[in-house]
């Protein structure tokens, strides 16, 4: 809905097409002016006015608020004039009844008929200065007797004369001139007549035009509530007003150009042209043009004065008359020195040489491109001949890309299942190792309590003081010892020290449960790749595709870094095969596994000499697989399965690691996986030294008693066994770490302290047993012997001096010690 504003109701003079209505109004005005009849009073009828533009009543919630338009003082003056005209029309209506005014009305009608002979189609609007001067009254005349034609400056000739004298016309003169121009436009005339109408006609026309123009203005705002809607279509902007005034002024100047020309206006035109030229041309350009013209003129004068030859004169004249052909950058700025033709020619040659030098790089580039055209054509021909081969190569790469993409997706799906199987297996072995360790440490505490109480109480009192749980553990412990002794008798093992065997036997129920869970894991591992395609189910088929790529396109094979990606691509197949591999119990070597043989064939394919093998990019494929897969597997076993007190497990796992380090020199201490494995290994040894080594120390009388002696011998032998297991890692773990764990923590802290409480013969036997576990390089007196062994050597010498050499048994023991220690 369009925005509409209400304005007070106003009386507008409606135009009839035949002009009769305007004539009647003029008659009424004329009659009123002659008779000056009094206006009959009109009864004011109060009516309810709707102040809203859409005619609805105010709601109760509107609180009686109304929208009012504030009008200017000029509109109030126009409103007063229109009220006067309205009163005049009412008087004319009353005067029609009188017969005395018939002769007066007749000439008025004739005049109005002549005036309205040509109907006006254009409405008159007051804008700009006209609206300001609508209510102006000259000080020279009365308001009622004002007439534009009677004004002293109403004649256009008088206005021109006034302007020539340099006087400034007042507002009334300007307003009168504008009214005459408006009259001409309303009559459709393109010129303003010089001769004026009679005073009476001019006055009537002026009143009519003024009245018609005033009807276009807004009415005065009064306190009464009048209905009406303000329509914004009649508003004329200031830009349109200025444009209209400009056209009027130009038309007047054209019409009156023959009458006179104002010198002030001519000066203004000249100033305007000068300003426009200055806007278009900068000061620097004007100065350069002036200097150039001065230099050219001087050069021309110099050539003329020296009487040069006709050819030089023609050249100078051509340079003066013609426009320079060079860009502005080559024109000398601020030329103040006179130049002769030779200097001009030299300057031109310099410019030409400069242009030639700038053209040299482009010419060289053009020649290079021209020389490359035959080579490019040859390449195009070669590529056209190789199109079938390239098509086959493209198809091969597309097939290989699809195979590798499918293989990676398959492995991504199977890898989480494989990780779950490895975790299940690791937890199964870890549970068994934890149970055995807890049982062994509990047995040591029980035996220590029994040995300590044996010195205070009798055998029967010891049996009564033990709880049922202790009695049960003691019975199970003795039963396992008896079964191990029978097994040694079956194997014909005569030499065995009590405490050197590993107590790893478990109840049959636990062993059967362990085996059943292990079988389930194995079956799940075999079914892991049953639902995949055959070309994805085996490591040899995967390597077959890679070998085809390597044979056909070795260059792209190397650029794609396939040798770096293969360990990760083959890793899942190696992990599946090694899932149940346990080097702690089995002696299966890595070289006997299926994946190892396949990778070995892949690296040795087509290699006829050592030089070719050394240049192969896949030469380190097996060491990388062992480093990333096998070492990780061994690390998991050490953390979850390995028992440092088990000589069998320690011997197997140390042999495997030693074999790897010797055969694959690329696996060096810089390998993060190898360092992680050795760190976990040392942590497990420290735990065993802290919690599993316990040797009772007491007087010789107490140590020689039955139960205490047996317990002492068993714990001493177990400490020696742990010492030997630690020294199995010699040349794998650094010597500083081994010396701290084996010599400082076990030998010097536990074993030598116990030896000092024994008889010389028994002490020599214990020292000989300890010396057999030490590395041979440590027993050579020299730079390789650790200084931490000094206490051990001194104790050995002291015992050798105390022993009775006359006894054959003592002499035999001393000979064995000398053979080992080389005292």
């Amino acid at each position: 809905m369009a925005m509409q504003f209400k304005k007070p109701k106003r009386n507008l003079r409606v135009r009839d097409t035949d002009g009769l209505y305007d004539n009647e109004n003029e008659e009424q005005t004329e009659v009123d002016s002659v008779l000056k009849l009094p206006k009959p009073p009109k009864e004011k009828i109060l009516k309810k006015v709707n102040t809203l533009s859409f005619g609805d009543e105010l709601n109760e919630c509107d609180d009686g608020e109304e929208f009012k338009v504030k009008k200017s003082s000029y509109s109030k003056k126009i409103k007063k004039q229109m009220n006067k005209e309205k009163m005049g029309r009412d008087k004319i209506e009353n005067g029609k009844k009188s017969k005395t005014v018939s002769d007066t009305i007749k000439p008025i009608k004739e005049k109005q008929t002549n005036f309205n002979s040509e109907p006006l189609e254009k409405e008159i609007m007051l804008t700009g200065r006209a609206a300001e001067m609508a209510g102006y009254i000259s000080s020279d005349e009365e308001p009622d007797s004002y007439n534009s034609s009677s004004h002293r400056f109403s004649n256009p000739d008088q206005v021109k004369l006034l302007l020539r004298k340099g006087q400034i016309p007042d507002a009334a003169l300007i307003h009168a001139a504008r009214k005459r121009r408006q009259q001409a436009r309303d009559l459709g005339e393109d010129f303003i007549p010089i001769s004026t109408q009679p005073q009476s006609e001019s006055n009537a026309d002026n009143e009519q035009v003024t009245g018609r123009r005033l009807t276009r203005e807004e009415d005065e705002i009064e306190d009464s509530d009048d209905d009406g809607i303000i329509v914004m279509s009649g508003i004329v902007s200031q830009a349109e007003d200025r444009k209209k005034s400009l056209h009027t002024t130009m038309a007047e100047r054209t019409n009156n150009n023959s009458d006179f020309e104002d010198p002030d206006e001519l000066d203004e035109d000249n100033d305007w042209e000068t300003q426009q030229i200055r806007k278009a041309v900068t000061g620097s350009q004007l100065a350069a043009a002036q200097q150039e013209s001065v230099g050219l003129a001087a050069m021309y004068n110099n050539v003329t004065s020296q009487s040069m030859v006709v050819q030089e004169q023609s050249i100078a004249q051509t340079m003066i008359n013609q426009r320079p052909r060079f860009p502005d950058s080559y024109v000398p700025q601020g030329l103040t020195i006179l130049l002769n033709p030779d200097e001009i020619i030299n300057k031109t040659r310099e410019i030409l040489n400069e242009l030639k030098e700038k053209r040299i790089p482009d010419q060289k580039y053009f020649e290079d491109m021209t020389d490359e055209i035959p080579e490019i054509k040859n390449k195009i021909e070669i590529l056209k001949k190789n199109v079938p081969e390239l098509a086959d190569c493209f198809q091969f790469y597309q097939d290989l890309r699809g195979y590798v993409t499918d293989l990676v997706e398959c492995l991504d799906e199977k890898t989480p299942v494989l990780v779950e199987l490895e975790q299940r297996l690791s937890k199964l072995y870890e549970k068994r190792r934890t149970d055995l360790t807890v049982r062994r440490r509990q047995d040591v505490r029980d035996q220590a309590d029994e040995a300590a109480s044996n010195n205070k109480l009798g055998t029967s009192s010891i049996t009564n003081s033990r709880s049922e749980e202790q009695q049960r553990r003691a019975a199970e412990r003795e039963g396992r010892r008896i079964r191990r002794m029978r097994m040694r008798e079956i194997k014909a093992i005569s030499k065995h020290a009590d405490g050197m065997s590993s107590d790893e036997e478990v109840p049959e129920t636990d062993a059967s449960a362990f085996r059943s869970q292990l079988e389930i894991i194995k079956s799940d591992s075999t079914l892991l790749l049953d639902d995949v395609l055959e070309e994805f189910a085996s490591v040899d088929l995967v390597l077959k595709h890679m070998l085809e790529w390597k044979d056909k396109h070795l260059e792209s094979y190397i650029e794609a870094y396939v040798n770096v990606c293969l360990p990760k691509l083959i890793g899942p197949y190696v992990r599946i095969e090694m899932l149940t591999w346990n080097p702690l119990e089995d002696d299966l070597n890595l070289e006997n596994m299926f994946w190892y043989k396949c990778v070995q064939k892949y690296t040795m394919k087509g290699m006829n000499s050592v030089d070719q093998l050394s240049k192969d990019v896949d030469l380190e494929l097996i060491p990388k697989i062992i480093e990333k897969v096998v070492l990780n597997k061994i690390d998991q076993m050490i953390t979850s399965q390995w028992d440092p007190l088990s000589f069998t497990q320690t011997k197997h796992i140390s042999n495997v690691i030693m074999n790897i380090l010797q055969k694959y020199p690329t696996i060096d201490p810089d390998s993060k996986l190898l360092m992680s494995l050795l760190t976990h290994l040392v942590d497990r040894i420290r735990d065993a030294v802290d919690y599993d080594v316990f040797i009772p120390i007491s007087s010789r009388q107490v140590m020689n008693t039955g139960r205490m002696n047996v317990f002492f011998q068993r714990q001493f032998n177990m400490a020696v066994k742990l010492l030997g297991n630690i020294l199995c890692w010699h040349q794998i773990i650094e010597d500083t770490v081994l010396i701290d764990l084996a010599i400082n923590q076990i030998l010097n802290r536990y074993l030598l302290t116990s030896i000092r409480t024994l008889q010389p013969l028994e002490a020599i036997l214990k020292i000989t047993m300890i010396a057999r576990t030490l590395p041979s390089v440590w027993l050579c007196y020299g730079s390789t012997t650790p200084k931490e062994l000094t206490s051990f050597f001194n104790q050995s010498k002291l015992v050798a001096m105390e022993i009775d050499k006359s006894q054959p048994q003592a002499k035999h023991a001393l000979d064995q010690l000398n053979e080992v220690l080389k005292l």
Side-chain angles (χ1 to χ4, degrees):
M1 180 172 132
M3 180 67 71
Q4 295 180 344
F5 298 94
K6 297 175 57 179
K7 70 175 183 176
K9 187 176 181 181
R10 61 185 179 179
N11 297 324
L12 300 178
R13 186 178 299 172
V14 183
R15 181 186 297 110
D16 291 339
T17 57
D18 55 355
L20 296 176
Y21 186 80
D22 293 338
N23 295 336
E24 293 176 357
N25 293 336
E26 295 298 333
E27 289 177 358
Q28 295 173 2
T29 305
E30 191 68 19
V31 170
D32 182 51
S33 64
V34 175
L35 298 179
K36 296 183 180 180
L37 297 176
K39 180 180 178 182
K42 294 179 65 177
E43 296 180 359
K44 294 184 179 181
I45 301 174
L46 298 176
K47 60 180 180 178
K48 188 176 181 180
V49 180
N50 294 334
T51 58
L52 298 179
S53 61
F54 41 81
D56 295 337
E57 296 294 337
L58 290 172
N59 296 328
E60 295 179 357
C61 60
D62 293 334
D63 296 333
E65 294 182 359
E66 298 179 1
F67 181 81
K68 295 183 179 181
V69 180
K70 185 177 180 180
K71 299 184 179 179
S72 63
S73 60
Y74 298 107
S75 298
K76 294 180 180 180
K77 293 179 180 180
I78 294 170
K79 179 64 176 178
K80 291 180 180 179
Q81 292 181 4
M82 293 184 67
N83 290 336
K84 291 180 180 180
E85 291 178 0
K86 185 176 181 181
M87 293 172 65
R89 286 195 298 271
D90 294 338
K91 292 178 180 180
I92 292 172
E93 290 178 359
N94 295 329
K96 284 183 180 181
K97 300 178 181 180
S98 177
K99 297 179 180 180
T100 59
V101 296
S102 58
D103 297 333
T104 309
I105 297 173
K106 185 175 180 180
I108 296 174
K109 287 184 178 181
E110 292 176 358
K111 179 179 71 64
Q112 292 294 337
T113 303
N114 294 332
F115 183 80
N116 296 322
S117 60
E118 294 180 4
L120 299 178
E121 297 180 358
K122 184 177 180 182
E123 295 183 0
I124 299 173
M125 295 179 293
L126 295 179
T127 59
R129 186 66 178 176
E132 295 179 1
M133 300 302 299
Y136 182 81
I137 299 175
S138 177
S139 61
D140 298 335
E141 297 180 1
E142 296 297 329
D144 295 339
S145 63
Y146 173 76
N147 190 351
S148 62
S149 63
S150 63
H151 196 276
R152 59 178 177 174
F153 298 121
S154 61
N155 194 338
D157 295 336
Q158 296 177 358
V159 174
K160 294 179 181 180
L161 292 175
L162 181 63
L163 293 174
R164 289 177 181 177
K165 292 179 181 181
Q167 299 179 2
I168 300 174
D170 58 358
L173 178 61
I174 296 172
H175 182 61
R178 287 182 177 177
K179 287 173 64 177
R180 285 204 328 278
R181 292 175 184 174
Q182 182 65 32
Q183 179 183 356
R185 285 193 292 269
D186 293 340
L187 294 176
E189 297 177 357
D190 296 333
F191 63 94
I192 300 175
I194 298 175
S195 62
T196 59
Q197 295 179 357
Q199 184 175 358
S200 61
E201 294 180 359
S202 177
N203 189 11
D205 295 341
N206 188 19
E207 290 177 357
Q208 182 180 4
V209 173
T210 304
R212 294 180 61 189
R213 290 176 62 193
L214 291 175
T215 57
R216 303 297 296 174
E217 297 294 333
E218 296 179 355
D219 296 336
E220 180 182 1
I221 297 178
E222 297 179 354
D223 296 336
S224 61
D225 296 331
D226 296 333
D227 298 336
I229 301 174
I230 297 175
V231 181
M232 307 301 291
S233 62
I235 297 176
V236 180
S237 63
Q238 295 181 2
E240 294 177 355
D241 188 18
R242 289 195 299 270
K243 184 177 180 181
K244 186 176 180 181
S245 301
L246 179 62
H247 286 296
T248 304
T249 304
M250 295 299 294
E252 182 181 2
R253 180 175 296 180
T254 304
N255 295 331
N256 299 331
N257 189 20
S258 61
D259 293 340
F260 74 100
E261 293 182 357
D262 193 352
D264 295 336
E265 294 180 357
L266 294 176
D267 295 339
E268 293 178 357
D269 293 340
N270 294 333
D271 294 340
W272 181 83
E273 291 178 359
T274 304
Q275 292 177 359
Q276 297 300 320
I277 292 172
R278 289 179 179 177
K279 291 180 181 179
V281 183
T282 60
S284 60
Q285 293 177 350
L286 286 173
Q290 291 176 1
Q291 292 177 0
E292 182 181 1
S293 63
V294 171
L296 293 176
M299 180 184 65
Y300 177 73
N301 294 331
N302 188 17
V303 172
T304 305
S305 63
Q306 293 180 2
S307 302
M308 300 295 293
V309 295
V310 177
Q311 183 178 2
E312 293 178 350
Q313 291 179 355
S314 62
I315 293 174
Q317 188 67 25
T318 302
M319 294 180 63
I320 293 173
N321 296 331
Q322 292 183 355
R323 186 178 180 181
R325 293 174 294 173
F326 301 106
D328 294 341
S329 59
Y330 296 106
V331 177
Q333 301 295 333
L335 181 62
T336 58
I337 303 175
L338 299 179
L339 301 177
N340 54 30
D342 294 336
E343 293 177 350
I344 295 173
I345 293 172
N346 294 333
K347 187 66 176 180
T348 305
R349 288 176 179 175
E350 291 178 0
I351 296 172
L352 182 60
N353 294 332
E354 184 179 354
L355 294 176
K356 289 181 179 180
E357 290 178 358
K358 292 182 179 180
R359 187 172 174 269
I360 290 175
D362 297 337
Q363 184 67 23
K364 184 177 181 181
Y365 178 76
F366 175 76
E367 293 176 358
D368 294 340
M369 294 296 101
T370 305
D371 296 338
E372 289 181 2
I373 290 176
E375 184 179 355
I376 294 173
K377 290 182 179 180
N378 294 332
K379 289 182 179 180
I380 293 173
E381 295 296 331
I382 294 172
L383 293 175
K384 287 182 180 179
K385 294 179 181 179
N386 296 335
V387 167
E389 183 180 354
L390 295 176
D392 296 338
C393 180
F394 175 77
Q395 186 63 35
F396 171 77
Y397 283 129
Q398 288 294 101
D399 296 341
L400 183 63
R401 178 178 178 273
Y403 174 78
V404 173
T405 303
D406 295 340
L407 177 62
V408 171
E409 291 178 357
C410 176
L411 295 178
D412 289 341
E413 184 178 353
K414 298 298 181 181
T415 300
V417 182
L418 177 59
V419 172
E420 183 183 0
L421 293 175
E422 291 176 347
Q423 292 177 353
R424 287 168 54 188
L425 185 64
S426 178
K427 290 180 180 179
L428 183 63
Y429 279 106
E430 186 175 6
K431 183 178 181 303
R432 188 180 71 167
R433 178 187 62 80
T434 304
D435 294 341
L436 293 175
T437 303
V438 171
R439 188 185 67 181
R440 181 177 63 244
R441 291 175 182 175
Q442 186 62 43
D443 290 341
V444 172
R445 286 193 291 268
D446 292 344
Q447 294 178 28
D449 294 339
E450 292 176 3
S453 60
N454 187 23
N455 298 327
K456 300 178 181 179
L457 302 175
T459 305
S460 59
S461 300
I462 296 173
T463 304
N464 295 330
S465 63
R466 289 188 300 181
S467 62
E468 296 180 358
E469 186 69 21
Q470 291 178 343
Q471 293 177 6
R472 183 183 62 80
R473 289 197 296 266
E476 292 177 355
R477 183 171 59 250
E478 293 298 329
R480 292 194 299 272
R481 288 174 181 172
I482 293 171
R483 285 191 289 272
R484 288 197 300 273
M485 184 178 61
R486 291 177 180 177
M487 291 295 297
R488 288 193 295 270
E489 292 177 355
I490 294 173
K491 294 180 180 180
I493 299 176
S494 58
K495 295 181 179 181
H496 177 73
D498 190 13
M500 299 295 290
S501 62
S502 300
D503 189 6
E504 299 175 355
E505 184 181 355
V506 295
E508 185 61 28
T509 56
D510 296 341
S512 61
F514 177 83
R515 287 192 296 269
S516 62
Q517 292 181 10
L518 187 62
E519 291 296 329
I520 292 173
I521 294 174
K522 289 182 179 180
S523 62
D524 291 342
S525 65
T526 56
L527 299 175
L528 184 60
L529 299 177
D530 285 352
D531 57 344
V532 301
L533 296 177
E534 184 179 358
E535 56 183 352
F536 301 138
S538 178
V539 64
D540 58 340
L541 297 177
V542 175
L543 292 176
K544 180 180 178 181
H545 288 81
M546 298 297 106
L547 184 61
E548 183 180 4
W549 185 8
K550 184 178 179 180
D551 293 340
K552 290 184 177 180
H553 309 284
L554 179 60
E555 195 172 321
S556 62
Y557 180 88
I558 297 173
E559 291 177 356
Y561 296 99
V562 180
N563 59 322
V564 178
C565 301
L566 272 180
K568 189 174 181 179
L569 194 65
I570 303 174
Y573 297 97
V574 179
R575 291 165 61 183
I576 292 173
E577 185 178 357
M578 298 183 64
L579 182 63
T580 57
W581 175 64
N582 191 355
L584 300 175
E585 300 175 358
D586 303 332
D587 293 332
L588 181 62
N589 295 327
L590 296 175
E591 291 79 3
N592 298 329
M593 291 186 173
F594 177 72
W595 69 266
Y596 189 93
K597 295 178 180 180
C598 294
V599 175
Q600 191 176 20
K601 291 179 181 179
Y602 179 80
T603 55
M604 297 294 293
K605 185 72 174 179
M607 300 300 169
N608 299 324
S609 62
V610 178
D611 294 337
Q612 293 180 352
L613 182 62
S614 61
K615 296 179 182 178
D616 188 14
V617 294
D618 295 320
L619 180 63
E620 297 181 359
L621 181 58
I622 293 177
K624 289 180 179 179
I625 294 175
I626 292 175
E627 179 183 1
K628 296 180 181 298
V629 180
V630 178
L631 289 182
N632 191 21
K633 176 68 174 178
I634 296 174
D635 188 8
Q636 292 178 0
M637 288 188 294
I638 289 175
T639 305
S640 60
Q641 303 180 35
W642 178 55
D643 184 7
L645 289 175
S646 175
F647 176 77
T648 304
Q649 294 182 4
T650 303
K651 194 66 177 177
H652 287 169
I653 195 69
S654 60
N655 290 337
V656 170
I657 295 176
M658 181 63 70
N659 187 22
I660 290 174
L661 295 178
Q662 289 178 353
K663 289 185 177 180
Y664 308 102
T666 56
I667 303 176
D668 52 13
D670 294 335
S671 175
K672 294 182 180 180
L673 293 174
L674 178 61
M675 297 306 297
S676 175
L677 185 150
L678 298 178
T679 302
H680 294 160
L681 183 68
V682 172
D683 293 340
R684 295 287 297 118
I685 293 173
R686 289 185 187 277
D687 183 74
V689 171
D690 294 337
Y691 297 101
D692 291 329
V693 178
F694 175 72
I695 301 176
I697 304 297
S698 183
S699 61
R700 292 185 178 182
Q701 296 177 357
V702 175
M703 297 298 294
N704 292 330
T705 57
R707 285 186 175 273
M708 180 58 73
N709 189 19
V710 173
F711 179 66
F712 171 80
Q713 295 295 334
R714 185 179 293 114
Q715 292 301 116
F716 187 90
N717 295 337
M718 186 178 68
V720 174
K721 181 179 68 173
L722 179 59
L723 177 65
N725 292 343
I726 294 173
L727 294 175
C728 288
W729 299 101
H730 180 60
Q731 296 181 349
I732 297 176
I733 300 176
E734 292 183 0
D735 289 347
T736 55
V737 178
L738 286 179
I739 290 170
D740 180 63
L741 292 173
I743 298 177
N744 293 335
Q745 305 246 353
I746 296 179
L747 179 59
N748 296 336
R749 182 179 179 182
Y750 292 101
L751 298 179
L752 288 182
T753 304
S754 301
I755 290 174
R756 293 189 182 100
T757 61
L758 300 177
Q759 296 293 333
L761 179 59
E762 187 176 3
I764 288 177
L765 295 177
K766 299 296 183 184
I767 291 173
T768 303
M769 182 173 60
I770 292 171
R772 295 183 186 277
T773 61
L774 296 176
S776 58
V777 292
W778 288 3
L779 299 177
C780 298
Y781 296 95
S783 59
T784 58
T785 302
K787 63 181 180 178
E788 287 79 3
L789 289 175
T790 304
S791 299
F792 176 71
F793 292 146
N794 294 335
Q795 186 65 31
S796 300
K797 293 178 181 179
L798 181 60
V799 173
M801 294 172 60
E802 292 178 355
I803 195 172
D804 187 5
K805 299 179 182 178
S806 60
Q807 297 180 2
Q809 188 176 1
K811 186 179 179 181
H812 179 71
L814 186 59
D815 293 339
Q816 291 182 350
L817 181 61
N818 291 331
E819 182 181 357
V820 174
L821 295 180
K822 299 178 181 179
L823 297 175

